[in-house]
């Protein structure tokens, strides 16, 4: 009885991580500086793959190829979600090529904040955003100074 509980818990964990990856990926597509979000997604997928909790399905032609050259991405299945990630040389040798992306398929919708998704993935992979990449929420705000008015002909200093 304990084993089935453990298995169900692992499935729930994988699904929670997959939902977090989905949110991070969705936000990365429109983020002003997506580098950290994409690296967090990649590290989480790599860890899921290494633990046998995700599976590489095959290769897809990329919708957004670099330099207008044909490019392929690896299709990864985790939880109930499909993701793309950059391929390795071994992927080209070992995985079937699935052709173009099927535009009719959509991952299930997720309601989760980006901050919660990032926290889940950061705890899972042990990778945190470098300080220089974090937005400074409390910048040195200038305090308002009333303008000084002088009579015509007077100097300001």
């Amino acid at each position: 009885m304990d084993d089935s509980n453990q298995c169900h818990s692992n499935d729930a964990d994988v699904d929670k991580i997959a939902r977090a990856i989905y949110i991070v990926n969705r936000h990365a597509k429109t983020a002003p500086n997506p580098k950290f979000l994409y690296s967090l997604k990649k590290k989480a997928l790599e860890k899921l793959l290494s633990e046998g909790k995700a599976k590489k399905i095959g290769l897809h032609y990329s919708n957004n190829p670099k330099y207008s050259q044909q490019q392929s991405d690896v299709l990864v299945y985790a939880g109930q979600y499909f993701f793309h990630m950059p391929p390795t040389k071994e992927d080209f040798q070992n995985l079937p090529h699935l052709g173009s992306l099927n535009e009719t398929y959509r991952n299930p919708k997720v309601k989760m904040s980006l901050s919660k998704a990032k926290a889940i993935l950061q705890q899972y992979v042990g990778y945190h955003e470098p300080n220089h990449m974090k937005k400074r929420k409390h910048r040195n705000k200038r305090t308002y100074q009333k303008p000084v008015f002088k009579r015509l002909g007077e100097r300001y200093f």
Side-chain angles (χ1 to χ4, degrees):
M1 190 162 112
D2 226 308
D3 288 342
S4 65
N5 244 358
Q6 183 66 32
C7 184
H8 180 69
S9 171
N10 283 344
D11 290 347
D13 288 346
V14 170
D15 206 52
K16 181 173 85 171
I17 292 164
R19 288 195 315 267
I21 294 170
Y22 174 84
I23 292 295
V24 163
N25 190 45
R26 196 177 74 191
H27 280 82
K29 291 175 182 179
T30 58
N33 187 4
K35 194 173 186 178
F36 171 72
L37 296 177
Y38 279 128
S39 61
L40 191 59
K41 168 195 168 187
K42 185 178 178 204
K43 287 180 186 298
L45 285 173
E46 286 171 347
K47 185 169 181 183
L48 285 172
L49 287 164
S50 71
E51 294 173 344
K53 296 176 181 175
K55 185 178 180 196
K56 290 182 180 181
I57 305 296
L59 295 160
H60 265 159
Y61 288 124
S62 177
N63 278 349
N64 304 309
K66 279 187 179 176
Y67 314 117
S68 300
Q69 293 179 2
Q70 189 60 61
Q71 189 175 332
S72 294
D73 293 322
V74 176
L75 181 66
V76 178
Y77 182 68
Q80 300 174 24
Y81 297 84
F82 288 96
F83 302 102
H84 286 106
M85 63 186 288
T88 64
K89 286 180 184 175
E90 292 80 31
D91 292 332
F92 285 106
Q93 296 165 358
N94 301 329
L95 294 174
H97 208 292
L98 307 172
S100 296
L101 178 64
N102 179 356
E103 293 291 338
T104 59
Y105 178 80
R106 291 281 180 248
N107 279 325
K109 294 283 184 224
V110 180
K111 285 196 184 284
M112 182 188 293
S113 70
L114 175 61
S115 57
K116 183 176 180 183
K118 280 171 55 175
I120 290 168
L121 296 184
Q122 286 174 331
Q123 181 195 3
Y124 177 61
V125 298
Y127 176 67
H128 297 279
E129 191 169 7
N131 286 335
H132 70 276
M133 292 178 84
K134 288 183 183 174
K135 280 188 177 177
R136 292 198 175 86
K137 291 182 180 176
H138 303 290
R139 294 185 184 198
N140 296 340
K141 291 184 179 177
R142 293 183 184 168
T143 55
Y144 178 74
Q145 288 184 331
K146 286 185 179 179
V148 179
F149 295 101
K150 300 281 185 179
R151 288 192 187 123
L152 192 60
E154 287 184 16
R155 293 183 175 215
Y156 285 95
F157 34 86

